[in-house]
């Protein structure tokens, strides 16, 4: 296999026999006696625990230094806390305002009490959260409200951390990071996650191969008291996107020390890496007594097993190289007027996602987030070439250091033949509303552009000047022929103010003296995408595109996915194509360093729900922020069989394969 290799007995033994040979000359005589050619410490229990460093501290982003021994001890309810004299050694969190022991604070500067506060401070959500609190408003969607903790609680947490260091607790992380954990979320609810192969645009999406349960890897051994970082072999018990639940070899059915780790992380290696890198393999202390000959045990367990390819880390690194660079100029949709584009400059690139700052923004706050493969961005000159509206910049010449992104970097669309029967102005269709992605609406083609592009408007809610028209390509998976929603049992949003309900296409076409766009002009391809209802993933909230959130696939209509944001009401759901570059595997945020928005707590959901019910239903002109509109509760009624006949559509459980799911139009 490309991404896994069979461990032949001879090859494996050869690798094991070379472990630590390169370091033998630098090892003391006493230590040499404790090692064999397999690279294990047979007598490692004799090492003093007091001099050992916690392996879990290596997992945290900043190691906490111990407090001076001269500090007084406070005893309370049988627990021991270390507390500094006076106010020396105290710190105040710049995010949540909590006061606590300085040495227990996060980062070298000790400005924040936790990782969550540090990340929240650096994100744009800080400004919104502070402003909302000043105005007495409830937290905005997916904005995490951090609760202040009393000083005693923080001291208790730090004392527990110190105790953990001394007792070598059998956990991977001695101090759990505040915030969301995919591993705990999946374990506690028995969730499944969409496999990495579902996301071709994501790192390793096309190179994942057959990495699966049972694959063996070498990982840091956190169940030992040695002063140096050592490793042991573990097997994948469960996969969830990039994340794998691992179990050390020798634990059999014992899951007490199972832990989650990102397969693409820097601490996971193929079996044999320790041998070639001169790293020691040491069995976990908990099971050290189970076998006297660990070498024979591993040879028996690993012969014929699979591991990662030797160049796996190199492949990961290559798949995370992105062609877009900062200071590149592009054309992107104007979020205030969807009908036109503007020039923007790439400000930053994270995991293939671009933060674009509109060129006229002097303070660089007028920005827009999208993926580099998004259909919303184009090369400079694209708008003029197809006849799309374009807002000319007041800046007459490029700023120093800015340069146009090469056209070949952008996602290519399919070539279409518009010479024969083609879309025409005034034709009716169904389309996902870009201002309310939970709705598929009655729509009209307002203008036919070059190269297969169409300007589309939502019936009943269009601006007089066409400023809310939006551009879709003829092959876009976001436009559908008349009757698509009906046959697939999706609620179709009728034109605003249309009184003749329930809505019937046949009546509406007759009343408006219009025709439906021919079915054969729409994209009917359905890839074998691999998604299933209930799968977890990380998804962009396209109404606030800087946010990547914990999400679930709740419906599948051929290639169309209904994405639900965990912890939020269904009105925030979004229809997204299965190949959308705004969907990512579980663990993508951790891998790329992007901030993941966890499921909303109950208090935030209640506040958001009560607030949204009091607001007037209206459509926003911004390509940002949710429309405060609840879906119309229309009674589903099949169209008259004498006027239309339908082909059977796919159920919600059907995830793959093409099918005829459009209206069969009678002559």
């Amino acid at each position: 296999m490309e991404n896994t290799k069979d461990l032949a007995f001879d090859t494996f033994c050869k690798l094991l026999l070379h472990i630590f040979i390169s370091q033998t000359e630098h090892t003391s005589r006493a230590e040499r006696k404790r090692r064999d050619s397999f690279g294990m410490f047979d007598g490692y229990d004799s090492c003093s625990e007091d001099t050992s460093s916690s392996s879990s501290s290596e997992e945290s982003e900043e190691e906490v230094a111990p407090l001076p021994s001269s500090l007084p001890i406070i005893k309370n309810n049988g627990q021991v806390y270390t507390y500094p004299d006076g106010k020396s050694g105290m710190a105040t969190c710049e995010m949540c305002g909590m006061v606590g022991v300085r040495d227990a604070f996060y980062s070298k500067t000790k400005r924040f009490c936790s990782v969550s506060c540090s990340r929240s401070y650096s994100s744009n959500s800080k400004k919104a959260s502070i402003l909302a609190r000043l105005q007495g408003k409830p937290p905005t969607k997916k904005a995490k409200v951090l609760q202040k903790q009393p000083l005693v609680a923080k001291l208790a947490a730090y004392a527990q951390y110190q105790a953990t260091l001394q007792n070598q607790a059998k956990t991977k992380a001695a101090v759990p990071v505040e915030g969301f954990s995919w591993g705990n979320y999946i374990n506690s609810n028995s969730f499944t996650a969409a496999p990495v192969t579902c996301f071709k645009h994501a790192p390793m999406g096309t190179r994942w191969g057959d990495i699966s349960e049972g694959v063996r890897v070498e990982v840091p051994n956190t169940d030992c008291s040695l002063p140096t970082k050592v490793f042991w072999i573990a097997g994948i018990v469960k996969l969830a996107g990039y994340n794998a639940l691992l179990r050390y070899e020798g634990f059999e059915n014992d899951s007490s020390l199972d832990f989650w780790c990102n397969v693409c992380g820097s601490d996971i290696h193929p079996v044999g890496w320790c041998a070639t890198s001169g790293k020691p393999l040491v069995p976990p202390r908990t099971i050290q007594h189970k076998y006297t000959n660990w070498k024979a045990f591993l040879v028996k367990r690993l012969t014929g097993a699979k591991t990662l390819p030797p160049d796996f880390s190199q492949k990961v690194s290559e798949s995370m190289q992105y062609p877009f660079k900062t200071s590149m100029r592009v054309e992107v949709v104007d979020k205030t007027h969807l009908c036109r584009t503007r020039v923007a400059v790439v400000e930053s690139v994270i995991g293939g996602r671009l933060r674009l700052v509109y060129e006229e923004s002097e303070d660089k706050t007028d920005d827009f987030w999208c993926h580099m493969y998004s259909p919303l961005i184009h090369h400079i000159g694209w708008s003029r070439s197809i006849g799309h509206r374009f807002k000319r910049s007041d800046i007459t010449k490029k700023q120093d250091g800015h340069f146009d992104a090469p056209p070949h970097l952008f996602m290519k669309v399919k070539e279409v033949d518009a010479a024969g029967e083609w879309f025409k102005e005034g034709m009716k269709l169904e389309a996902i509303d870009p201002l309310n992605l939970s709705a598929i609406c009655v729509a009209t083609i307002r203008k036919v552009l070059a190269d297969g592009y169409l300007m589309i408007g939502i019936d009943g809610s269009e601006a007089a000047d066409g400023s809310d028209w939006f551009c879709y390509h003829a092959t876009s998976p976001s436009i559908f022929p008349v009757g698509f929603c009906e046959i697939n049992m999706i609620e179709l949003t009728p034109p605003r103010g249309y009184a003749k309900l329930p809505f019937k296409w046949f009546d509406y076409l007759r009343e408006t003296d219009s025709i439906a766009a021919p079915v054969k002009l729409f994209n009917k391809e359905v890839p074998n995408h691999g998604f299933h209802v209930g799968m977890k993933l990380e998804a962009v909230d396209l109404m606030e595109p800087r946010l990547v959130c914990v999400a679930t696939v709740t419906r599948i209509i051929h290639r169309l996915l209904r994405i639900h944001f965990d912890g939020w009401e269904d009105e925030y759901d979004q229809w997204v194509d299965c190949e959308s570059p705004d969907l990512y595997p579980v663990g993508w945020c951790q891998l790329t360093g992007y901030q993941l928005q966890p499921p909303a707590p109950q208090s935030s959901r209640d506040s958001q729900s009560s607030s949204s019910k009091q607001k007037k239903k209206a459509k926003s002109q911004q390509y940002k922020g949710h429309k405060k509109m609840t879906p119309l509760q229309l009674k589903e009624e099949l169209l008259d069989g004498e006027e239309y006949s339908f082909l059977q559509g796919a159920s919600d459980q059907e995830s793959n394969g093409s099918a005829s799911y459009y209206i069969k139009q009678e002559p």
Side-chain angles (χ1 to χ4, degrees):
M1 295 291 181
E2 179 184 357
N3 284 345
T4 56
K5 63 175 184 177
D6 293 330
L7 295 178
F9 180 87
D10 295 339
T11 303
F12 178 69
C13 288
K14 186 180 297 183
L15 290 174
L16 298 180
L17 290 172
H18 283 82
I19 295 178
F20 248 5
I21 290 179
S22 61
Q23 293 188 353
T24 304
E25 296 178 359
H26 305 288
T27 307
S28 64
R29 180 177 301 176
E31 190 175 87
R32 258 191 230 119
K33 292 180 180 179
R34 291 199 302 270
R35 293 183 185 170
D36 60 8
S37 59
F38 196 58
M40 298 185 195
F41 287 86
D42 290 335
Y44 74 97
D45 273 341
S46 62
C47 295
S48 172
E49 292 187 359
D50 295 335
T51 60
S52 66
S53 62
S54 171
S55 59
S56 62
S57 65
E58 296 176 9
E59 301 296 323
S60 62
E61 295 187 34
E62 180 67 28
E63 185 171 340
V64 179
L67 289 173
S69 58
S70 59
L71 297 177
I73 300 298
I74 299 176
K75 294 185 178 181
N76 185 11
N77 297 328
Q79 292 184 315
V80 180
Y81 311 120
T82 307
Y83 194 82
D85 286 318
K87 289 191 175 181
S88 61
M90 302 300 289
T92 302
C93 179
E94 294 184 18
M95 179 62 194
C96 69
M98 194 201 72
V99 178
V101 180
R102 177 181 176 82
D103 287 311
F105 270 42
Y106 171 75
S107 82
K108 293 181 179 179
T109 58
K110 310 301 180 185
R111 295 171 59 195
F112 308 103
C113 65
S114 65
V115 177
S116 297
C117 280
S118 175
R119 290 176 178 171
S120 297
Y121 185 88
S122 62
S123 69
N124 292 335
S125 62
K126 182 207 172 210
K127 297 179 181 178
S129 299
I130 294 175
L131 181 60
R133 287 197 292 270
L134 291 175
Q135 296 177 347
K137 296 179 180 179
T140 57
K141 177 178 183 288
K142 301 182 183 67
K144 183 180 179 183
V145 180
L146 301 176
Q147 303 293 333
K148 294 183 180 180
Q149 298 177 353
L151 176 60
V152 174
K154 193 67 176 182
L155 291 173
Y158 183 70
Q160 183 179 3
Y161 174 77
Q162 292 288 70
T164 305
L165 288 178
Q166 297 173 1
N167 298 326
Q168 298 295 319
K170 300 175 183 179
T171 58
K172 185 170 181 65
V175 182
V177 178
E178 261 188 89
F180 177 76
S181 166
W182 264 119
N184 294 338
Y185 192 55
I186 289 175
N187 277 347
S188 59
N189 299 280
S190 299
F191 290 139
T192 59
V196 174
T197 52
C198 290
F199 310 88
K200 306 302 181 186
H201 57 279
M204 300 299 291
T206 58
R207 310 174 75 176
W208 193 250
D210 55 352
I211 297 176
S212 59
E213 297 176 4
V215 168
R216 305 302 207 283
V217 292
E218 293 180 351
V219 293
N221 177 7
T222 60
D223 183 30
C224 73
S225 55
L226 293 172
T228 57
K229 188 174 184 178
V230 295
F231 294 80
W232 189 240
I233 295 169
I236 297 178
V237 177
K238 183 176 182 178
L239 270 177
Y242 291 116
N243 294 345
L245 182 63
L246 300 177
R247 181 174 300 170
Y248 290 122
E249 279 296 333
F251 275 79
E252 308 300 338
N253 296 322
D254 182 2
S255 61
S256 60
L257 283 189
D258 288 2
F259 60 96
W260 287 90
C261 194
N262 196 301
V263 175
C264 296
S266 58
D267 273 338
I268 290 192
H269 309 280
V271 172
W273 176 84
C274 284
T276 58
S277 304
K279 304 294 183 182
L281 280 173
V282 179
R285 181 175 56 178
T286 303
I287 59 170
Q288 188 201 10
H289 63 280
K290 290 182 65 175
Y291 301 96
T292 56
N293 189 340
W294 281 102
K295 179 178 178 180
F297 167 79
L298 286 182
V299 168
K300 180 179 179 181
R301 290 285 295 174
L302 299 181
T303 299
K306 293 180 178 180
T307 187
L308 303 177
D311 59 346
F312 184 75
S313 60
Q314 180 182 346
K315 290 180 178 179
V316 172
S317 178
E318 291 173 354
S319 68
M320 294 181 68
Q321 302 299 316
Y322 308 106
F324 280 86
K325 308 300 179 185
T326 56
S327 299
M328 280 185 173
R329 299 171 75 243
V330 301
E331 288 185 9
V332 64
V333 65
D334 185 344
K335 65 184 181 182
T336 59
H337 294 82
L338 301 187
C339 66
R340 68 188 185 189
T341 57
R342 295 170 61 183
V343 173
V345 179
V346 178
E347 181 68 18
S348 60
V349 183
I350 305 178
R353 292 193 61 76
L354 312 177
R355 179 177 179 257
L356 303 172
V357 176
Y358 290 114
E359 197 169 46
E360 295 173 306
S361 177
E362 296 181 358
D363 58 0
K364 296 186 177 181
T365 59
D366 191 8
D367 61 358
F368 186 81
W369 281 90
C370 67
H371 193 271
M372 62 182 182
Y373 295 147
S374 170
L376 301 177
I377 61 171
H378 310 276
H379 61 85
I380 298 296
W382 172 85
S383 297
R384 183 172 57 182
S385 68
I386 70 161
H388 194 283
R389 288 190 192 178
F390 176 76
K391 181 185 178 183
R392 294 190 178 278
S393 174
D394 294 336
I395 301 175
T396 56
K397 62 178 182 178
K398 300 177 188 176
Q399 298 183 21
D400 292 340
H402 293 177
F403 59 102
D404 296 349
H408 71 271
L409 298 185
F410 298 86
M411 195 67 177
K412 300 294 186 296
V413 294
K414 280 187 177 181
E415 293 185 3
V416 294
D417 181 14
E421 187 176 10
W422 192 241
F423 292 100
K424 292 181 175 61
E425 291 183 18
M427 283 183 172
K428 300 293 183 181
L429 69 164
E430 298 175 3
I432 297 176
D433 185 352
L435 293 176
N436 182 13
L437 293 166
S438 66
I440 299 179
C441 306
V442 174
T444 303
I445 297 174
R446 293 304 179 188
K447 189 176 181 180
V448 179
L449 308 179
D451 296 340
Y453 287 96
L454 310 170
M455 295 302 295
I456 295 174
I458 300 297
D459 285 20
S461 59
E462 297 178 64
D465 60 354
S467 60
D468 57 354
W469 296 353
F470 48 94
C471 185
Y472 278 144
H473 194 263
T475 61
S476 169
S478 298
I479 59 174
F480 318 96
V482 163
F484 173 83
C485 287
E486 183 70 27
I487 196 171
N488 289 289
M489 292 181 289
I490 302 174
E491 185 177 60
L492 176 66
T493 302
R496 186 179 301 175
Y498 187 74
K500 194 175 179 180
L501 300 178
F503 178 85
K504 289 188 177 182
W505 263 115
F506 220 75
D507 293 340
Y508 186 68
L509 292 175
R510 191 161 44 229
E511 292 168 4
T512 57
D513 192 24
S514 54
I515 62 173
V519 174
K520 65 181 181 180
L521 299 181
F522 292 85
N523 180 12
K524 304 180 188 67
E525 293 184 6
V526 181
N528 186 16
H529 49 69
F531 286 103
H532 295 280
V533 171
M535 282 183 169
K536 297 293 179 181
L537 69 163
E538 298 176 4
V540 175
D541 177 0
L542 294 171
M543 293 288 92
E544 186 65 42
R546 67 183 177 84
L547 301 179
V548 177
C549 314
V550 174
T552 307
V553 178
T554 57
R555 285 196 71 181
I556 299 176
I557 307 297
H558 304 284
R559 66 179 300 146
L560 196 61
L561 309 180
R562 180 83 170 179
I563 301 299
H564 174 77
F565 297 105
D566 289 19
W568 294 95
E569 296 177 355
D570 294 345
E571 66 178 292
Y572 295 111
D573 290 1
Q574 297 176 4
W575 288 108
V576 181
D577 182 61
C578 64
E579 294 183 340
S580 168
D582 296 304
L583 303 178
Y584 307 103
V586 166
W588 178 86
C589 282
Q590 179 189 5
L591 176 63
T592 61
Y594 206 98
Q595 183 172 351
L596 177 67
Q597 301 297 316
Q602 184 64 40
S603 58
S604 296
R605 295 201 300 269
D606 294 342
S607 299
Q608 184 69 22
S609 177
S610 61
S611 175
S612 63
K613 290 178 181 178
Q614 296 171 1
K615 294 191 176 183
K616 183 179 180 181
K617 299 177 181 179
K619 177 183 280 190
S620 169
Q621 273 291 320
Q622 290 265 353
Y623 197 52
K624 172 182 178 180
H626 286 281
K627 285 170 56 179
K628 301 302 180 184
M629 297 180 64
T630 57
L632 296 175
Q633 303 300 317
L634 300 177
K635 181 181 179 181
E636 292 191 357
E637 177 180 303
L638 293 176
L639 297 177
D640 194 311
E642 295 179 358
E643 297 174 339
Y644 283 81
S645 62
F646 297 93
L647 299 177
Q648 185 176 0
S651 68
D652 288 357
Q653 297 294 335
E654 183 180 354
S655 63
N656 304 319
S658 61
S660 299
Y661 53 93
Y662 298 121
I663 278 187
K664 179 181 179 182
Q665 301 189 27
E666 299 293 344

